[in-house]
Amino acid sequence: IGNPIEVYAMSMSGSLKENIERVMARYHWKVIWKAPFDYNFDGRVTGVSLPRMIEKLLQPFPLRGVMYMSNHTLTISQKV
């Protein structure tokens, strides 16, 4: 049958920034929010990895996320 795939899931309602900070803290990650605006998000996002989940979450917004694995820091900034 093989090894089970670990799935990351995030359900949220309200502030995108606050919810990302809350979920990333669960995985011991720090979030640096450099974007000029926060956004409202209601929904659920899943991914086979934490980076893939964040990528899918940010897709509808003019935001980009960069994950620094060495120090567990996620930087959110505006897409240029």
Side-chain angles (χ1 to χ4, degrees):
I1 296 179
N3 295 330
I5 297 173
E6 186 168 6
V7 175
Y8 292 84
M10 180 184 300
S11 293
M12 63 172 69
S13 179
S15 163
L16 182 65
K17 178 181 181 285
E18 289 174 9
N19 280 287
I20 288 176
E21 288 172 342
R22 176 182 52 80
V23 169
M24 294 305 286
R26 187 181 316 152
Y27 297 105
H28 310 289
W29 280 71
K30 179 180 176 184
V31 177
I32 299 174
W33 190 273
K34 293 184 173 182
F37 304 106
D38 191 2
Y39 297 89
N40 194 46
F41 180 84
D42 291 305
R44 178 176 167 85
V45 177
T46 60
V48 295
S49 68
L50 197 53
R52 183 67 185 125
M53 184 182 69
I54 294 298
E55 180 184 325
K56 286 170 66 175
L57 176 65
L58 295 178
Q59 195 171 19
F61 301 101
L63 300 172
R64 66 188 285 264
V66 177
M67 296 180 81
Y68 298 95
M69 301 295 182
S70 60
N71 63 357
H72 282 200
T73 301
L74 168 63
T75 301
I76 305 286
S77 58
Q78 189 169 355
K79 283 183 185 172
V80 186

